[in-house]
Amino acid sequence: MAKPVELEGPPMAQRSAAQVVPAPEVATATAAGPPATTKRGGPYGPYSMLPIESFVDWRDSCNASLRDATWLFRTIGTCGFTVLPVEILLTALTAFVLLIYGGSDITYSLNSAIFLGLVFFLAPRNSIVTVATGVSFERLIKYHQWAAYLMVIPMTLHGLDNDLFTDWSDSTQITGNALYITYLTILTLSLPPIRRRLFEGFYVTHVMLAAAMVVLGALHAGTVIGVSAVALVLLAIDFAWRWVIAHQLVLSKMCVSAVALVLLAINFAWRWVITHQAATIVGVRCMGGNSATELSVSFNNDVTRKSWRYESGQYSWICVPRASSWQWHPISISSAPAETLKNGVITFHILSMGKGKWSDRIQQVQPGDSIRLSGPHGVCSVTYEHASQLVLAGGGIGITPMMSTLSQLVALAEANPVKPCGQLVALAEADSDYPCGQLRRVHLIWVLREWQTIGFFEDTFQRIQRLRTAAAGNKDLFEFAVSIYLTKTSGAAADWLGEVPPSVHSDIKQGRPKWSDIMADEKNATLPVLRASSTAPHKRISVLVCGPALLMSAVTGSAERCSTKVVRFQVHQESFLL
Ligand SMILES: Cc1cc2nc3c(=O)[nH]c(=O)nc-3n(C[C@H](O)[C@H](O)[C@H](O)COP(=O)(O)OP(=O)(O)OC[C@H]3O[C@@H](n4cnc5c(N)ncnc54)[C@H](O)[C@@H]3O)c2cc1C
């Protein structure tokens, strides 16, 4: 079977009958197989997708019989014109529009609007007029031009009746004057000497000025757009179709982007749903000479409270309307998931970044104020449940995610003092590389300038104190160690120690930590599980660190230097800088 021939020239169906010269290839293809088609989905642009074949056949036969049957058309045909009967009708329509003059301003203005509509109606390259009449674009555009030139008559008459360019008093006058100027500019730029020499420039300005006329027309009088509405919709279809055809590659990319956009929309919708749950600030504490604030937050409804599950070390974006209705800031959750499960309260600790800043205005919040939470976010890159030891190192406010983790372990140890991570032991033991992998010791190291904010975490330190007292002499129990380094607190400890929670008195040191010594001590720590098992050659030490960049790199460097094949350090850095 012969293959259909694909034509690159003007589509066959768009040529008038008089223009068609039967080409042998086309005839063969039509006889032997499917009709010739263009590569771009049919000769009528977007309208090719409609079931118009039989209508087109009927239209062509009407055109042919009219031409044959009518003296006028026969005469024009023999004179060598290639005018279709419908073109005569279009000419008559244009003339009719021109003739609707009653000598009054109302008819001038209405007539201007009708002309504008006609101009737009005849502008599309993929025109419904082509479908209806068989007259193709390059012929239709002549009518577009005639209508546009003729429009000067009703527009000028309408303008002269309404103080054109002499009255700028109200918006109707201003937009009317602007419309006339825009129209004259389009008209001038469309004159053949300019249009033919600078077609690209003409085309771009033509489209832009036409769009300006639509806007000005809408502002000038509703009739303008009312009359042109259908024509503008058809023009929009034409532009959209041309864009689609010209950007097929872009379109496929857009499909991919559309999927991404849908996912993004789902993300936003999800965040909106999650964040617009009503939560209330149930407690506010300021410490450190008002340099830091603790917020205790509770969701108002039970469903959210149960569904808003977080893991220790995660953070949430928070919006506190009293400080700012539109600002969202990432803040680590400092409470433990186990505690939140019990009391329904989530805590945040926020350090003021300076007078007037959002983090400073937070101090003005009152219990009962509303707060919105988006999250939880953040994933810890080390699974410390598989490790033997955990080092939590926090610098300044970087202690918050560490306190969440520490408090969680405290809560678990209170429930099971031998294996706080009891529920995770099965997992850890399945890890054959590290047969002794179950957490037995945690060491919190907090480096801060002054002692004033230690009190925020008094409750956790007290509970650790109680666990340590209970474990005294029993080496098989879980070990908690706390070291607090005060780098800027000078003077005798006796002057300020009374202000610090007693549970940490023995853990406080003045000065900077020596990270290499701390890591070496952790490496050499002998744990109950190691003592008990002679077949346990390895141990893994997880290190979580958060704070200033210098502190994080010092901790990471020391841990890496201490790491050996037998004792492996794994570090997770948490940064507060996005
Ligand atoms: C994952 C994470 C957890 C954090 N946890 C805590 C915490 O528990 N406690 C705490 O006090 N601080 C925390 N921060 C830092 C806190 O977000 C900023 O200190 C706070 O946003 C400062 O805002 P500001 O306008 O008061 O100060 P600014 O002086 O305006 O900002 C100081 C710095 O904070 C960052 N920042 C400011 N505004 C935003 C914002 N809207 N979104 C993201 N970053 C911003 C910028 O890096 C900026 O340079 C955390 C940051 C991150 C990324």
Side-chain angles (χ1 to χ4, degrees), residues 282-293:
V282 291
V284 183
R285 281 202 295 170
C286 291
M287 285 194 185
N290 283 354
S291 68
T293 310

PDB file of all heavy atoms in Angstrom, residues 282-293:
ATOM      1  N   VAL A 282       1.260  27.686  75.921  1.00  0.00           N
ATOM      2  CA  VAL A 282       0.734  27.459  77.277  1.00  0.00           C
ATOM      3  C   VAL A 282       1.725  27.888  78.352  1.00  0.00           C
ATOM      4  O   VAL A 282       1.382  27.948  79.535  1.00  0.00           O
ATOM      5  CB  VAL A 282       0.328  25.975  77.482  1.00  0.00           C
ATOM      6  CG1 VAL A 282      -0.885  25.632  76.648  1.00  0.00           C
ATOM      7  CG2 VAL A 282       1.480  25.034  77.159  1.00  0.00           C
ATOM      8  N   GLY A 283       2.958  28.190  77.953  1.00  0.00           N
ATOM      9  CA  GLY A 283       3.925  28.639  78.956  1.00  0.00           C
ATOM     10  C   GLY A 283       5.035  29.444  78.310  1.00  0.00           C
ATOM     11  O   GLY A 283       5.446  29.150  77.186  1.00  0.00           O
ATOM     12  N   VAL A 284       5.477  30.499  79.000  1.00  0.00           N
ATOM     13  CA  VAL A 284       6.576  31.330  78.488  1.00  0.00           C
ATOM     14  C   VAL A 284       7.552  31.564  79.636  1.00  0.00           C
ATOM     15  O   VAL A 284       7.145  31.927  80.744  1.00  0.00           O
ATOM     16  CB  VAL A 284       6.055  32.708  78.003  1.00  0.00           C
ATOM     17  CG1 VAL A 284       7.186  33.531  77.406  1.00  0.00           C
ATOM     18  CG2 VAL A 284       4.933  32.553  76.994  1.00  0.00           C
ATOM     19  N   ARG A 285       8.850  31.312  79.375  1.00  0.00           N
ATOM     20  CA  ARG A 285       9.874  31.625  80.387  1.00  0.00           C
ATOM     21  C   ARG A 285      11.006  32.353  79.694  1.00  0.00           C
ATOM     22  O   ARG A 285      11.422  31.948  78.602  1.00  0.00           O
ATOM     23  CB  ARG A 285      10.446  30.335  80.985  1.00  0.00           C
ATOM     24  CG  ARG A 285       9.572  29.695  82.037  1.00  0.00           C
ATOM     25  CD  ARG A 285      10.393  28.773  82.932  1.00  0.00           C
ATOM     26  NE  ARG A 285      10.945  27.624  82.220  1.00  0.00           N
ATOM     27  CZ  ARG A 285      11.849  26.796  82.738  1.00  0.00           C
ATOM     28  NH1 ARG A 285      12.328  27.013  83.966  1.00  0.00           N
ATOM     29  NH2 ARG A 285      12.301  25.767  82.051  1.00  0.00           N
ATOM     30  N   CYS A 286      11.480  33.428  80.291  1.00  0.00           N
ATOM     31  CA  CYS A 286      12.641  34.129  79.733  1.00  0.00           C
ATOM     32  C   CYS A 286      13.806  33.974  80.697  1.00  0.00           C
ATOM     33  O   CYS A 286      13.613  34.013  81.920  1.00  0.00           O
ATOM     34  CB  CYS A 286      12.341  35.611  79.550  1.00  0.00           C
ATOM     35  SG  CYS A 286      11.143  35.897  78.261  1.00  0.00           S
ATOM     36  N   MET A 287      14.995  33.780  80.170  1.00  0.00           N
ATOM     37  CA  MET A 287      16.185  33.646  81.027  1.00  0.00           C
ATOM     38  C   MET A 287      17.364  34.345  80.382  1.00  0.00           C
ATOM     39  O   MET A 287      17.254  34.836  79.254  1.00  0.00           O
ATOM     40  CB  MET A 287      16.516  32.169  81.244  1.00  0.00           C
ATOM     41  CG  MET A 287      15.592  31.480  82.214  1.00  0.00           C
ATOM     42  SD  MET A 287      16.243  29.895  82.723  1.00  0.00           S
ATOM     43  CE  MET A 287      14.886  29.297  83.705  1.00  0.00           C
ATOM     44  N   GLY A 288      18.472  34.339  81.077  1.00  0.00           N
ATOM     45  CA  GLY A 288      19.700  34.917  80.529  1.00  0.00           C
ATOM     46  C   GLY A 288      19.553  36.401  80.294  1.00  0.00           C
ATOM     47  O   GLY A 288      19.948  36.899  79.233  1.00  0.00           O
ATOM     48  N   GLY A 289      18.927  37.110  81.281  1.00  0.00           N
ATOM     49  CA  GLY A 289      18.725  38.553  81.098  1.00  0.00           C
ATOM     50  C   GLY A 289      17.888  38.807  79.861  1.00  0.00           C
ATOM     51  O   GLY A 289      18.190  39.685  79.060  1.00  0.00           O
ATOM     52  N   ASN A 290      16.842  38.006  79.701  1.00  0.00           N
ATOM     53  CA  ASN A 290      15.926  38.099  78.558  1.00  0.00           C
ATOM     54  C   ASN A 290      16.599  37.856  77.213  1.00  0.00           C
ATOM     55  O   ASN A 290      16.140  38.334  76.187  1.00  0.00           O
ATOM     56  CB  ASN A 290      15.219  39.464  78.513  1.00  0.00           C
ATOM     57  CG  ASN A 290      14.115  39.537  79.534  1.00  0.00           C
ATOM     58  OD1 ASN A 290      13.818  38.533  80.190  1.00  0.00           O
ATOM     59  ND2 ASN A 290      13.525  40.701  79.685  1.00  0.00           N
ATOM     60  N   SER A 291      17.687  37.111  77.206  1.00  0.00           N
ATOM     61  CA  SER A 291      18.319  36.840  75.911  1.00  0.00           C
ATOM     62  C   SER A 291      17.753  35.576  75.278  1.00  0.00           C
ATOM     63  O   SER A 291      17.981  35.309  74.104  1.00  0.00           O
ATOM     64  CB  SER A 291      19.831  36.699  76.079  1.00  0.00           C
ATOM     65  OG  SER A 291      20.108  35.525  76.807  1.00  0.00           O
ATOM     66  N   ALA A 292      17.019  34.790  76.048  1.00  0.00           N
ATOM     67  CA  ALA A 292      16.451  33.555  75.484  1.00  0.00           C
ATOM     68  C   ALA A 292      15.068  33.312  76.069  1.00  0.00           C
ATOM     69  O   ALA A 292      14.789  33.691  77.209  1.00  0.00           O
ATOM     70  CB  ALA A 292      17.363  32.380  75.794  1.00  0.00           C
ATOM     71  N   THR A 293      14.221  32.703  75.241  1.00  0.00           N
ATOM     72  CA  THR A 293      12.831  32.486  75.650  1.00  0.00           C
ATOM     73  C   THR A 293      12.462  31.024  75.451  1.00  0.00           C
ATOM     74  O   THR A 293      12.818  30.426  74.428  1.00  0.00           O
ATOM     75  CB  THR A 293      11.880  33.345  74.771  1.00  0.00           C
ATOM     76  OG1 THR A 293      12.370  34.677  74.775  1.00  0.00           O
ATOM     77  CG2 THR A 293      10.460  33.313  75.267  1.00  0.00           C
TER      78      THR A 293
END
